[in-house]
Amino acid sequence: MSTKPLPLTPELHAYLVAHGSAPDEIVRELAEETRAALPAQADMQVAPEQAAFLTFLTRLLGVRQAVEVGTFTGLSSLAIARGLAEGGRLTCFDISEEYTGVARRYWARAGVEDRIELRIGPAKDTLRELPQERYLDFAFIDADKVGYPVYWDELVPRMRPGSVIAVDNTLRAGRVLAPQNADDRAIAAFNDEILADVRVEVVMLPIADGVTLARVL
């Protein structure tokens, strides 16, 4: 029995995507518009299988109160919002009116704009405006990598027992083994930090660029 993942060739990745629930027209068009309008930034968008996973996970957990740090053009927030339980709410934090303007259009098209609140400003400041009690069911962190420890420290005390934090880009295309820049070094240090955090139990998954799931105790 293999003890490590198969090498994910382009052909195998295409097979993997094709054998999950297919993205609908709205998701396809959002991904296409992002690639066409923002080619230099398009890799900030979550992978299609990652978006499907976020919806699946949100539904599985019965999430009613969620937070996203780093929204970009809105694919991950759209995925989370679609998975929310009846009456659920997602609060998104981002610094760009331009990128989130695209997100707003697609939230409206998907009929989920009434479930989402967008707060513009540095998340290190705006996260502090959230209620202090433990009320969040799910959080997704996918913003500037150096800021991850700050976002983590703001979110963990607000997560209810049994809730989940998902953190994106925790493998850095494998560069966590030999960091090449400040973002790589930040993520490598962050991975060690949350592994040692006694408030959570952690599993790292080889989805897209690495997704870490932390269950809050």
Side-chain angles (χ1 to χ4, degrees):
M1 180 181 294
S2 174
T3 59
K4 61 182 180 180
L6 292 169
L8 197 59
T9 63
E11 295 78 13
L12 188 56
H13 178 258
Y15 181 90
L16 179 154
V17 172
H19 286 77
S21 297
D24 66 5
E25 179 182 3
I26 294 174
V27 168
R28 290 196 303 271
E29 290 185 9
L30 172 53
E32 290 166 4
E33 178 175 338
T34 301
R35 287 194 295 269
L38 300 163
Q41 295 82 24
D43 61 353
M44 293 165 56
Q45 183 171 248
V46 298
E49 69 273 23
Q50 193 174 1
F53 175 71
L54 286 170
T55 301
F56 186 93
L57 181 61
T58 305
R59 284 182 178 145
L60 186 66
L61 294 170
V63 173
R64 297 184 60 83
Q65 292 290 339
V67 160
E68 175 184 74
V69 184
T71 296
F72 190 43
T73 57
L75 181 53
S76 55
S77 51
L78 173 59
I80 294 167
R82 281 178 158 176
L84 292 173
E86 182 76 23
R89 297 285 298 169
L90 169 63
T91 305
C92 294
F93 296 86
D94 203 281
I95 59 172
S96 173
E97 292 277 10
E98 176 189 1
Y99 297 157
T100 56
V102 178
R104 288 182 187 274
R105 285 196 282 108
Y106 282 89
W107 295 339
R109 282 188 57 188
V112 298
E113 74 274 27
D114 61 334
R115 307 176 198 174
I116 302 174
E117 177 188 356
L118 175 62
R119 301 189 187 186
I120 297 294
K124 64 182 179 63
D125 300 321
T126 50
L127 280 170
R128 296 191 182 109
E129 299 170 1
L130 291 173
Q132 294 291 329
E133 63 265 24
R134 301 182 70 178
Y135 75 103
L136 293 173
D137 303 305
F138 182 72
F140 182 53
I141 301 175
D142 185 19
D144 63 293
K145 309 314 167 192
V146 175
Y148 275 23
V150 175
Y151 310 143
W152 178 266
D153 287 342
E154 290 296 332
L155 287 169
V156 172
R158 294 174 166 88
M159 308 297 297
R160 65 168 182 78
S163 63
V164 171
I165 302 175
V167 187
D168 199 18
N169 304 118
T170 50
L171 290 178
R172 296 292 295 168
R175 295 192 303 273
V176 286
L177 297 178
Q180 299 174 16
N181 55 44
D183 283 350
D184 296 344
R185 290 188 291 273
I187 291 297
F190 175 77
N191 289 340
D192 291 340
E193 176 185 331
I194 65 173
L195 183 62
D197 193 328
V198 298
R199 299 171 296 177
V200 299
E201 55 185 8
V202 175
V203 61
M204 185 181 289
L205 303 176
I207 298 173
D209 192 29
V211 176
T212 294
L213 299 181
R215 179 178 175 272
V216 180
L217 302 176

